[in-house]
Amino acid sequence: MKRKNIVSIIGAGAAGCFCAIELNRRRPELDVHVYERATKPLAKVAITGGGRCNLTNSFSGFTDERGAYHDLHLLYPRGDKLMRRMLSQFSHTDTMKWFEHEGVRLVTQRDNCVFPQSQDAMEIVNTLLRLMRSEGVALHLKHELKNIDFCDEMGYKLWFNDEEKPISSDIVIITTGGGKAPFLQPLSIEIVPTLPSLFTFNTANAMHNELMGTVVENVTLSFAGTRLRSHGEILITHWGVSGPAVLKLSSYAARLLAETDYRGTLIINWCDGRNVAEVTEEISHFIENDSHRQVNNTYPSYLTNRLWLKLLEVCSIPHTQRWGALNQTHINRLVNTLTAQQVEVTGRCKYKDEFVTCGGVSLKEVNPKTLEHRSHAGLFFAGEALDIDAITGGFNLQAAWSTAMCVARSI
């Protein structure tokens, strides 16, 4: 009796488990094994989206009327061209249909993020594990790959931490997160150095300590001396600034900030994207029409009272000053602070394990149609193992689903 061809998937995260399910469905004659160094599979999926699992995005504003994707570089700072190809094969709507077919009801929020209706990430985890069991996928926990040998026509030899002898495999799929793949060194595969790509900023601004907990919508952020910018909501914290706009900018500037030891000048436009001329006109309107009112009681509607009062203090304008009594120095200072307040970033907020990193296997190493290595037949890559990463909002998990499906179809 002819033996089954063995497929070894390294990493039981979103990409690894999804790929295993699809591969077994398409090629049931294969013997599929998933190896995970940790004690639990799908650990990141269980905590993503604050434990609710933001499994994809509606891509609103990034698809045209025909469903074609555009401006993906704004969502995927690294790997956007490959992701265009991946999404054409397995899109966000395909992802939603896939999970709904497996009994997971989904909801799309106002911010275009897609979650299970249960708001429980464990529903996604349990769905994937249930399907792996039903498809006959073998899951091996506490198996850390130490070395991999390419044996040409004979496939691969895999050396794990707790095995005295190597395991033979005809096909190997690497889906390890964060580019942590030292076992690839013997194969001379180019690895782009990994760095944190989604993090919050520590700042030296005392104003932020006093405004802790304040949420401001529609803020535009940029870094001085660069064209990098983001727009959205920010949260002022006791250590600095956080929120979607900050995380987005950290993704765009990940490598630049690493080079400067996570220091730089953050420029904040508090005015919903309005420029200097527009804000000057708005301030002039208050001066002309509310000249008798105190500045602490009349202010732009897109600012909170708490933030407005603090910005007045930054501009050295007394709260009881009347609009009609503001001099040109006050006006200039106020306009500059509203449209381009400069805040010194002194570092990034550090966690024990970065949730998303940029870097990984260089995209030049793989065939973009199949994600198979160009030199090592039968060696594939998917998910975070590749040098692909995205801004927050479900786009990183979509990259996992799309690349995993590509590999399963290729094999």
Side-chain angles (χ1 to χ4, degrees), residues 350-368:
K350 300 178 181 179
Y351 298 95
K352 184 178 180 182
D353 293 305
E354 298 301 338
F355 199 70
V356 175
T357 58
C358 60
V361 173
S362 171
L363 301 186
K364 295 182 294 183
E365 297 276 331
V366 299
N367 181 331

Side-chain angles (χ1 to χ4, degrees), residues 100-299:
E100 287 172 335
H101 181 266
E102 300 303 337
V104 179
R105 294 184 178 181
L106 304 176
V107 292
T108 303
Q109 297 185 164
R110 289 178 58 189
D111 60 2
N112 303 316
C113 294
V114 179
F115 288 87
Q117 191 177 70
S118 64
Q119 300 290 297
D120 185 2
M122 290 309 298
E123 182 179 8
I124 303 300
V125 171
N126 292 332
T127 296
L128 294 173
L129 292 179
R130 171 178 56 82
L131 293 172
M132 288 174 68
R133 288 192 297 269
S134 66
E135 295 294 336
V137 175
L139 176 60
H140 307 270
L141 301 176
K142 296 189 287 187
H143 274 60
E144 182 175 3
L145 184 62
K146 290 297 186 181
N147 199 9
I148 180 171
D149 294 326
F150 179 50
C151 305
D152 203 10
E153 292 86 1
M154 298 176 62
Y156 296 86
K157 298 289 185 183
L158 306 177
W159 300 81
F160 290 93
N161 59 330
D162 56 352
E163 301 288 344
E164 294 183 1
K165 295 181 180 180
I167 294 173
S168 297
S169 187
D170 299 284
I171 296 173
V172 177
I173 306 168
I174 307 298
T175 63
T176 49
K180 298 173 183 177
F183 48 80
L184 291 177
Q185 290 180 355
L187 299 181
S188 300
I189 293 174
E190 181 185 350
I191 306 291
V192 179
T194 56
L195 294 167
S197 64
L198 286 179
F199 48 86
T200 61
F201 301 150
N202 296 335
T203 66
N205 197 316
M207 164 182 156
H208 291 167
N209 291 329
E210 299 172 29
L211 289 173
M212 180 178 65
T214 299
V215 175
V216 188
E217 298 180 350
N218 301 316
V219 172
T220 301
L221 303 177
S222 60
F223 273 110
T226 77
R227 294 183 178 181
L228 301 173
R229 58 196 292 116
S230 67
H231 185 80
E233 181 182 280
I234 72 167
L235 167 66
I236 301 175
T237 69
H238 65 279
W239 66 82
V241 287
S242 181
V246 173
L247 293 174
K248 188 186 299 183
L249 187 61
S250 76
S251 181
Y252 295 157
R255 295 205 175 277
L256 174 66
L257 287 172
E259 292 173 1
T260 62
D261 194 26
Y262 300 96
R263 294 178 179 274
T265 302
L266 179 67
I267 299 176
I268 305 177
N269 179 316
W270 300 102
C271 304
D272 195 12
R274 292 171 174 79
N275 59 32
V276 169
E278 291 170 323
V279 174
T280 299
E281 182 179 351
E282 190 171 19
I283 295 302
S284 298
H285 176 83
F286 285 126
I287 292 173
E288 294 172 8
N289 296 280
D290 298 286
S291 59
H292 64 289
R293 294 181 179 272
Q294 294 182 175
V295 292
N296 62 333
N297 293 324
T298 306
Y299 51 89

Side-chain angles (χ1 to χ4, degrees), residues 315-336:
C315 298
S316 300
I317 299 176
H319 292 178
T320 56
Q321 183 82 293
R322 298 189 185 280
W323 275 106
L326 293 183
N327 58 40
Q328 194 59 47
T329 299
H330 286 151
I331 296 171
N332 293 341
R333 196 178 294 158
L334 187 57
V335 170
N336 289 336

Side-chain angles (χ1 to χ4, degrees), residues 53-113:
C53 192
N54 181 190
L55 81 165
T56 188
N57 193 283
S58 70
F59 282 77
S60 177
F62 293 92
T63 54
D64 60 23
E65 64 278 0
R66 295 175 291 110
Y69 294 90
H70 59 82
D71 294 330
L72 287 182
H73 64 282
L74 297 175
L75 305 178
Y76 295 92
R78 287 150 291 271
D80 61 300
K81 292 183 176 61
L82 181 61
M83 279 306 302
R84 186 183 306 278
R85 181 188 291 270
M86 295 294 104
L87 287 165
S88 69
Q89 297 179 24
F90 192 73
S91 68
H92 67 283
T93 55
D94 293 326
T95 295
M96 295 172 70
K97 289 177 183 177
W98 193 96
F99 280 99
E100 287 172 335
H101 181 266
E102 300 303 337
V104 179
R105 294 184 178 181
L106 304 176
V107 292
T108 303
Q109 297 185 164
R110 289 178 58 189
D111 60 2
N112 303 316
C113 294

